Amino acid sequence: MPKIYPIKELRNTTEISEMCHESQEPIYITKNGYGDLVVMSIEAYEKVLAKLELYEKLAEGEGQQREREKMIPVKEAFSRIRSKYGEK
């Protein structure tokens, strides 16, 4: 369950810091009843960045795999070239 606090609670920096480190989850800060900020420990932030980097690399790999599926084997490519242009 996400923790949501009004911005005035940021005065209690030690308490907020302890909550972030204990839960390893972000704390959502509201301003005038609307979402405004997200506060989290550096460790939690680094985990999020690591996941994002992993997802980006996986997406890149999937894209490369799709491109490879459009390719044909080298032997077949040379065979097509030879049949089109003749053996020299």
Side-chain angles (χ1 to χ4, degrees), residues 14-78:
T14 302
E15 183 182 330
I16 295 286
S17 175
E18 288 173 359
M19 283 190 291
C20 285
H21 287 282
E22 287 174 12
S23 69
Q24 288 296 307
E25 295 290 327
I27 294 177
Y28 298 90
I29 306 297
T30 61
K31 183 176 180 182
N32 297 325
Y34 295 97
D36 188 47
L37 301 170
V38 175
V39 180
M40 63 176 63
S41 69
I42 289 176
E43 294 86 7
Y45 178 69
E46 288 173 346
K47 285 180 185 178
V48 169
L49 287 181
K51 283 182 185 178
L52 179 61
E53 185 178 344
L54 175 63
Y55 294 148
E56 287 174 348
K57 287 180 180 181
L58 288 171
E60 181 182 339
E62 287 176 352
Q64 290 173 350
Q65 182 63 34
R66 273 190 239 105
E67 289 299 315
R68 277 194 208 113
E69 289 172 358
K70 295 177 187 176
M71 295 181 184
I72 59 172
V74 172
K75 287 182 180 181
E76 185 178 335
F78 280 118

